[in-house]
Amino acid sequence: MPSCVDMDYLLIINIILTNSGVLKLIKLQIASVVCRRSTMSRRQFTLDEKIGIIGRLENGEKNSVISKEFGTCSSTISTIWKNKDKLKNMFQTTSLKAKRLRTAQHKGLEEAVLVWFKQQRLLSVPISGPILQTKIDQLAEKMKIENFKCSASWIQRFRQRHNIGFGKISGESSAVNTDICSNWLANVWPSLRAGYCDDEIYNADEAGLFFKLTPDKTLRFKGEKCSGGKLSKDRITVLVAANMTGTDKRKLLVIGKSKSPRCFKGVSSLPVFYENNTKAWMTSAIFEKTLNYWDDELRRKKKKILLLVDNCPAHPSLQHLKFIKLVFLPANTTAVLQPMDQGVIRNIKAHYRNQLVLKMIEDIENQIESKVTVLDAIIMLDKAWRNVTSTGIANCFRHAGFCDVTTDTTQLQADSGLINNIDEDYLQIDDDLITSEIQTDEDIVDNVIANQQVELDNDTDIEELDDEFETVPSISEARAALRTLERFYYTKYEGTDAERKALSFLETSINSNTKQSSIKDYFKKLNKN
């Protein structure tokens, strides 16, 4: 026989079953819970939202608060936190609106298409859907992928994975998504730079330069991008790198066309690093060689740095570096986030062209034909780089959003004054110069299949027949020139003690590089005579 308690339970159940109102209320409560749980389980976050959640967790917010706000389970938030490193890496190259980060079925093909697409964007070539579809089919055929036909859905998924949109090209800066820049600076950058002080954070960027161009030729060649044409032989590429405080300005890397220009004859050292290829462009091989040398230099100093670069085709991801943490800026944001593009390169060109104009005026006054060799350009570039102040560099990092620094407005006004004195067309004539290697379809396919970068340089020397050959001054000629300078300085100019010491230091430096005749040698010659 059932007990009294059991009888009570049966009575309650009987009342619930016979009372339709109570039963209806229970059903509604159950349905509500099921619906809420179903909604929570179906909640999918975009990559942008996940990065925002990671940022909030890093700032100390509790999992329970965030999960309640988004109406999802705490385990979902925990999973996002667990995969934070992977998500941050994806953030730099993947669409922010994509909710599921599906991997491509043909990974090799997608990699090849992405390299090709980036190269066309580098050239500002507008790419429509049909053009991209045709190119994908061509690459698939060259990679011997059978039974593949590119569809609109394949392109759509490719665009989503790599944050690619088709639209009117109206300038690099205007195409930059400022929300991506702000989100990256707020949520990704703090963790990337963790453990590095401002002195240990660097940025490097390339710039093309028409090193022989004088103002009178500006209008004639305005808009020349230098993929060929009359000016292609008169260009070089310069890699500029400095740290966030501007206290360490790396020696410039100059890339010319000739391996051994005639003007280098007799030269034993240069104030810059020098490399070459037939197009005077940055290549992946030169980039890797440069960073390997820098990494070894840092190893000897026992110092580690973080290096910010853009994601152009000539900048491969180098995993073997031990003392350089290579960080790529998000795609299509370099016009805003690249510190060197915020005024540093412009300043170098202003100082360089100021020297070039002064040289031209001096040659006119001396009634000689004005010529500029690669060696002349290297010397003027080095002087121009030395004239760029640490304050100006730090201000460019601040302008890009990487730090807050106190700005020396006096120096910035001085730099602006120099720029304002130079014709705008003359200053900007080579802003659109191509600086990176562009690979053919065959090159791209070979790289993907072999999983290695192919060096496209040709080491064959290119004679610079247009350059007037000038011998490098000898030690005795340098001493004679110094004596002339001293006579001018002491008789025509009232200088400071520091300047006189500089002259003395220069004389000591010249004498230390060779064996100089002593007073004893002079008396020995007298005795022989």
Side-chain angles (χ1 to χ4, degrees):
M1 241 183 109
S3 64
C4 294
V5 176
D6 293 334
M7 291 294 293
D8 290 338
Y9 281 135
L10 291 173
L11 181 62
I12 293 172
I13 292 172
N14 185 52
I15 293 173
I16 293 174
L17 292 176
T18 55
N19 191 326
S20 60
V22 175
L23 185 60
K24 186 176 181 181
L25 180 61
I26 292 174
K27 287 181 178 179
L28 287 174
Q29 290 291 335
I30 294 173
S32 176
V33 171
V34 171
C35 181
R36 186 163 60 250
R37 287 186 176 179
S38 177
T39 303
M40 289 172 65
S41 62
R42 289 199 305 267
R43 179 71 164 90
Q44 293 180 346
F45 295 97
T46 64
L47 183 56
D48 191 27
E49 289 173 329
K50 290 177 181 178
I51 292 297
I53 290 172
I54 291 170
R56 291 173 63 178
L57 290 170
E58 288 178 335
N59 290 331
E61 287 196 48
K62 293 183 177 181
N63 182 318
S64 57
V65 174
I66 298 174
S67 60
K68 184 177 180 181
E69 178 183 328
F70 284 99
T72 189
C73 303
S74 59
S75 60
T76 302
I77 304 299
S78 297
T79 302
I80 293 173
W81 175 252
K82 181 180 179 180
N83 297 323
K84 62 178 180 178
D85 293 334
K86 181 180 178 182
L87 291 169
K88 285 180 179 181
N89 289 333
M90 290 180 176
F91 181 82
Q92 298 187 45
T93 56
T94 311
S95 170
L96 303 182
K97 295 180 180 180
K99 294 185 178 181
R100 292 185 179 180
L101 304 175
R102 296 187 179 95
T103 57
Q105 182 180 358
H106 302 287
K107 293 182 180 180
L109 175 61
E110 177 150 331
E111 183 181 346
V113 173
L114 186 60
V115 171
W116 178 86
F117 184 85
K118 285 183 177 180
Q119 290 187 159
Q120 306 314 306
R121 286 288 295 118
L122 186 68
L123 294 167
S124 298
V125 176
I127 303 298
S128 63
I131 292 176
L132 181 59
Q133 186 173 9
T134 302
K135 176 53 65 176
I136 292 170
D137 284 335
Q138 290 175 354
L139 290 172
E141 183 179 352
K142 290 179 180 180
M143 296 180 72
K144 296 180 171 52
I145 300 176
E146 298 179 355
N147 302 321
F148 177 86
K149 186 69 177 177
C150 181
S151 63
S153 59
W154 196 98
I155 293 178
Q156 179 64 26
R157 290 192 296 271
F158 172 78
R159 289 173 56 189
Q160 286 181 345
R161 279 191 288 269
H162 301 286
N163 196 28
I164 295 172
F166 296 134
K168 184 178 179 181
I169 296 176
S170 56
E172 185 181 7
S173 183
S174 61
V176 174
N177 188 325
T178 54
D179 290 338
I180 295 178
C181 297
S182 301
N183 203 336
W184 188 85
L185 286 170
N187 298 312
V188 178
W189 173 241
S191 59
L192 287 175
R193 69 151 297 168
Y196 295 90
C197 63
D198 290 353
D199 286 340
E200 297 168 338
I201 297 173
Y202 290 72
N203 174 230
D205 190 26
E206 296 90 358
L209 179 70
F210 288 135
F211 68 93
K212 293 183 178 182
L213 189 66
T214 52
D216 56 314
K217 296 182 180 178
T218 299
L219 293 178
R220 180 182 172 190
F221 291 104
K222 187 175 181 181
E224 170 71 66
K225 291 182 181 293
C226 200
S227 56
K230 294 182 178 180
L231 275 184
S232 61
K233 62 183 178 181
D234 296 336
R235 60 82 46 83
I236 54 178
T237 295
V238 185
L239 179 69
V240 184
N243 65 353
M244 188 181 290
T245 57
T247 53
D248 183 20
K249 297 188 293 182
R250 291 285 298 171
K251 185 189 291 188
L252 296 175
L253 167 64
V254 175
I255 305 171
K257 295 174 70 67
S258 175
K259 183 176 181 179
S260 301
R262 294 195 298 164
C263 56
F264 281 10
K265 187 175 181 180
V267 174
S268 57
S269 66
L270 291 171
V272 302
F273 298 111
Y274 182 80
E275 297 288 345
N276 82 289
N277 59 67
T278 55
K279 295 180 179 179
W281 289 350
M282 172 63 79
T283 66
S284 55
I286 293 176
F287 183 76
E288 183 172 359
K289 178 182 177 181
T290 301
L291 263 60
N292 285 342
Y293 179 86
W294 193 355
D295 195 62
D296 187 59
E297 181 183 306
L298 291 166
R299 177 187 60 79
R300 294 192 298 270
K301 294 180 179 179
K302 297 181 180 180
K303 177 182 177 182
K304 291 189 176 184
I305 68 165
L306 182 150
L307 177 61
L308 288 161
V309 295
D310 58 37
N311 58 352
C312 80
H315 295 168
S317 178
L318 305 175
Q319 304 297 330
H320 64 276
L321 300 175
K322 302 297 184 182
F323 294 86
I324 298 177
K325 179 180 180 179
L326 197 59
V327 174
F328 292 93
L329 296 168
N332 304 322
T333 63
T334 55
V336 173
L337 291 179
Q338 183 93 272
M340 296 297 116
D341 281 346
Q342 304 307 312
V344 176
I345 290 174
R346 183 180 175 88
N347 239 310
I348 292 175
K349 289 186 176 182
H351 284 291
Y352 177 86
R353 294 212 153 95
N354 183 58
Q355 293 180 70
L356 187 59
V357 170
L358 291 176
K359 182 183 185 305
M360 183 179 65
I361 294 172
E362 182 182 332
D363 291 341
I364 292 173
E365 291 176 348
N366 293 328
Q367 297 182 346
I368 60 175
E369 184 181 359
S370 187
K371 287 184 176 292
V372 182
T373 66
V374 174
L375 182 59
D376 293 327
I378 285 174
I379 293 172
M380 286 190 287
L381 273 171
D382 180 64
K383 291 168 65 177
W385 184 218
R386 293 179 188 278
N387 284 329
V388 177
T389 65
S390 58
T391 302
I393 295 172
N395 185 60
C396 289
F397 272 90
R398 181 200 61 79
H399 190 265
F402 286 97
C403 63
D404 294 322
V405 296
T406 303
T407 303
D408 183 351
T409 56
T410 303
Q411 181 59 52
L412 291 177
Q413 289 170 1
D415 291 342
S416 299
L418 173 64
I419 292 173
N420 293 334
N421 288 333
I422 299 176
D423 180 75
E424 190 73 12
D425 287 336
Y426 184 42
L427 186 60
Q428 298 180 353
I429 185 80
D430 41 24
D431 282 358
D432 294 328
L433 271 181
I434 301 169
T435 59
S436 302
E437 68 173 349
I438 304 299
Q439 299 170 309
T440 64
D441 291 354
E442 288 73 18
D443 296 327
I444 294 172
V445 170
D446 288 342
N447 286 349
V448 171
I449 293 175
N451 194 26
Q452 63 183 5
Q453 293 292 331
V454 177
E455 174 55 47
L456 301 178
D457 291 349
N458 185 348
D459 290 335
T460 303
D461 191 24
I462 302 170
E463 288 292 336
E464 296 181 338
L465 298 177
D466 291 339
D467 284 347
E468 181 180 346
F469 178 70
E470 296 181 8
T471 57
V472 177
S474 64
I475 294 294
S476 59
E477 289 173 331
R479 286 203 193 98
L482 181 60
R483 295 286 178 261
T484 302
L485 179 61
E486 287 176 338
R487 285 197 299 274
F488 171 81
Y489 181 83
Y490 284 111
T491 60
K492 298 287 188 179
Y493 176 74
E494 184 178 353
T496 64
D497 288 338
E499 291 167 339
R500 282 189 283 273
K501 287 180 180 179
L503 280 174
S504 178
F505 176 80
L506 183 59
E507 181 179 14
T508 302
S509 178
I510 292 174
N511 292 335
S512 65
N513 289 316
T514 186
K515 183 179 180 181
Q516 186 181 16
S517 298
S518 64
I519 296 177
K520 291 182 179 180
D521 294 329
Y522 173 75
F523 283 109
K524 285 181 181 179
K525 289 181 180 180
L526 286 179
N527 293 331
K528 287 181 180 180
N529 295 331

